[in-house]
Amino acid sequence: MSNRIWIALIAAAGLCGSAAAQQLGLPAMIRGVGIEQNLNTQVPLELTFTDEAGRAVRLGQYFRGKPVVLSLVYYECPGLCDLVLNGLTHSMEQISLNLGRDFDAVTVSFNPHDTWQLAASKKANYIEKYQRKGAAEGWHFLTGKEDAIKSLADRVGFHYKYDPNIKQFAHASGIMILTPEGKIARYFYGIEYKARDFRLGLVEASNNKIGSPADELLLFCFHYDPMTGKYGPAIQNVTRVLGSATVIGLGAFIFLMVRRERQGRPTDTGRLA
C-alpha cells in the first residue's frame, strides 16, 4: 500500500499517538502522527503569526473573554484539511451560538511555506459558506514560521510529518476547543463534529457564560469522554435524578393516600357522651 493511502487512513481515523500506528503496522513515516490529548494545558499566547491580511499578530489577541475553536490544517492540502473545515463550518451552522459573538475560531496552517494570501483566500471561502453576520471578525486564518507552528502544535498534542516523496503532510484530523484564557478544554476527532457535542463543548469551555438553561441540564446528564472525544450519558447523574424522582413520586403518592383516607373517616361531631 502506498504512503499516500496510509496517510489518508491515519488522518481520517484521527489516531492518537504512535502506539496505535505501530499496532496497525504503519510505515515509519506515519508512526507518531496523531493527536495526543493535553487537556487543561495552556497554549503559548505569546506566539506570533501572520494573519490573512499580512499583519503580524499575537496569538493571545484572539482570546477576548470567549471560547476559541482551534483547527490546525494547511492551506494547500489536497483534501483532508478542507473536510475538517467543512465539518467545522457545518457544526457552526447547526447551533444557535454565533461565531464572532459567542465564540471565536482560529485556524493555523502548520505548513511554514503557506502564505497569508493563501490564508486570505481560504478565509473568504469559508466566510461565504458560513454566511452569518460577524463571522469575518470572529474567524482568523493564520500562517507562521516553523518554530512558532511547532511550539503551538506540540503544546496541543498535534503531531504531523512531511513526506518529501509526495510533497504532502501526514496528519490526523480534529479540532480543539480552548477556554477564554487559552487552556485546552475539549478535543473532537475526525471530520464531522456532532452539533450537540460541539455546542456543549463551547458552553462548558465558557464556564456556562454562553448557552441556555437547557445546556446546563444537558451538561448534567452528559459528560465528556476524552477517549472518544464525544459526550455520553453521565450514568451516575441520570441514576441520581431518576432515584430522586422516584422518591418524590412515592412521597407524593403516600401523601395523597393518607389525605384521602383522612377525608373518608366519619367525624366525632354529634356523638353522644
Side-chain angles (χ1 to χ4, degrees), residues 29-180:
M29 167 61 199
I30 309 300
R31 294 175 187 169
V33 171
I35 299 175
E36 176 187 2
Q37 290 206 16
N38 294 331
L39 291 170
N40 205 39
T41 297
Q42 176 70 53
V43 299
L45 300 180
E46 72 281 359
L47 294 177
T48 57
F49 293 91
T50 301
D51 72 3
E52 64 277 347
R55 299 169 297 202
V57 293
R58 180 175 167 271
L59 184 62
Q61 73 186 61
Y62 300 116
F63 292 81
R64 303 172 294 186
K66 295 178 285 189
V68 172
V69 182
L70 175 66
S71 51
L72 296 176
V73 300
Y74 68 105
Y75 301 136
E76 291 189 307
C77 180
L80 182 66
C81 294
D82 281 348
L83 294 178
V84 170
L85 296 178
N86 290 343
L88 172 56
T89 304
H90 181 70
S91 294
M92 294 192 297
E93 290 172 338
Q94 299 304 304
I95 64 175
S96 59
L97 300 175
N98 285 301
L99 173 63
R101 185 192 70 186
D102 301 304
F103 64 97
D104 286 332
V106 174
T107 297
V108 180
S109 171
F110 53 82
N111 181 358
H113 299 294
D114 275 351
T115 64
W116 65 264
Q117 289 90 343
L118 283 172
S121 176
K122 191 67 70 173
K123 174 172 180 171
N125 181 39
Y126 282 97
I127 295 302
E128 183 179 358
K129 284 179 181 288
Y130 182 62
Q131 290 190 339
R132 287 195 197 178
K133 185 179 179 180
E137 291 74 33
W139 198 346
H140 314 279
F141 286 71
L142 310 181
T143 56
K145 295 182 179 180
E146 188 168 6
D147 56 346
I149 295 169
K150 189 74 164 55
S151 179
L152 176 61
D154 286 346
R155 191 67 63 90
V156 301
F158 188 87
H159 305 299
Y160 58 94
K161 288 183 180 179
Y162 181 71
D163 187 341
N165 296 321
I166 60 174
K167 297 181 179 180
Q168 292 181 25
F169 286 89
H171 63 95
S173 57
I175 60 174
M176 289 136 272
I177 295 182
L178 311 181
T179 69

